[in-house]
């Protein structure tokens, strides 16, 4: 699986860095709709809006499944990206 964004509507869409190598901070913020927080999931990185819960964004079932499977006991609100570790600086 390449980089994807998982929406709160349950849709997964492929994404890639605009420069073909690494996402800029602005790109990541655009995709998740706010300031970013990252969660390490093995060789992947989950990128979420750090204030998704505070902003009352809708729960993200797909992203929540990713973190539960990785051993976290939490949930994600708002759109989230699952990207290759080398695509983030």
């Amino acid at each position: 699986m390449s980089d994807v964004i998982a929406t709160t509507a349950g849709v997964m869409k492929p994404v890639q860095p605009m420069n073909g190598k690494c996402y800029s901070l602005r790109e990541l913020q655009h995709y998740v709709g706010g300031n970013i927080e990252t969660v390490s999931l093995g060789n992947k990185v989950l990128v979420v809006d750090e204030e998704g819960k505070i902003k009352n964004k809708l729960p993200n079932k797909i992203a929540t499944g990713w973190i539960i499977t990785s051993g976290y006991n939490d949930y994600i609100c708002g759109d989230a990206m699952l990207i290759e570790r080398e695509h983030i600086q």
Side-chain angles (χ1 to χ4, degrees):
M1 173 171 58
S2 60
D3 298 351
V4 295
I5 184 163
T7 70
T8 57
V11 176
M12 286 194 342
K13 302 175 193 173
V15 292
Q16 61 184 16
M18 289 187 71
N19 68 9
K21 295 179 183 179
C22 291
Y23 294 96
S24 69
L25 175 59
R26 187 170 250 152
E27 279 180 279
L28 296 172
Q29 290 171 329
H30 168 76
Y31 280 120
V32 302
N35 292 327
I36 67 163
E37 180 176 351
T38 61
V39 180
S40 179
L41 301 180
N43 62 346
K44 301 276 189 169
V45 176
L46 181 66
V47 181
V48 300
D49 179 351
E50 70 178 358
E51 296 180 331
K53 293 174 188 167
I54 295 169
K55 293 176 182 175
N56 292 317
K57 290 188 174 184
L58 294 174
N60 187 319
K61 293 179 183 178
I62 295 170
T64 297
W66 290 333
I67 65 167
I68 296 293
T69 301
S70 295
Y72 292 93
N73 185 20
D74 202 356
Y75 64 98
I76 303 298
C77 290
D79 293 345
M81 298 174 70
L82 187 63
I83 63 176
E84 298 289 338
R85 185 169 298 285
E86 64 264 14
H87 291 163
I88 193 167
Q89 296 179 351

